[in-house]
Amino acid sequence: LFRSSVWIVENRSDHQFYALKKIDLYQLDSYERLMLSKEVYSMLVLRGHPNIIRFFGFFADDSYMYIVM
């Protein structure tokens, strides 16, 4: 629904690899922002479910939201 980019990143402290999804908040309309909030909420609620990708957290700055999987 909304535009995003995904990178493979390495944690410097434990050298584990993660997928980092980066979403440009300025390109989202109000509906897309709502859907993004629902995506993050769903990942939190379903955390640990065997059929859902592992969710490690999220963070944001003024321009982007980042989801760590």
Side-chain angles (χ1 to χ4, degrees):
L1 184 59
F2 40 86
R3 291 190 170 97
S4 61
S5 305
V6 179
W7 288 281
I8 296 174
V9 296
E10 181 180 6
N11 184 319
R12 291 180 183 170
S13 62
D14 65 8
H15 303 288
Q16 293 281 69
F17 289 95
Y18 300 92
L20 181 68
K21 183 175 185 179
K22 179 181 175 184
I23 302 111
D24 186 347
L25 297 175
Y26 288 117
Q27 293 185 3
L28 303 182
D29 61 26
S30 59
Y31 177 74
E32 291 170 325
R33 285 178 182 258
L34 175 64
M35 297 311 297
L36 176 59
S37 298
K38 287 184 176 189
E39 177 183 354
V40 172
Y41 178 76
S42 296
M43 292 179 87
L44 283 168
V45 170
L46 297 171
R47 182 181 245 171
H49 189 282
N51 296 329
I52 304 296
I53 192 163
R54 289 185 64 194
F55 174 75
F56 293 98
F58 70 97
F59 57 97
D61 58 26
D62 292 337
S63 303
Y64 298 96
M65 175 176 273
Y66 305 89
I67 301 173
V68 183
M69 301 174 271

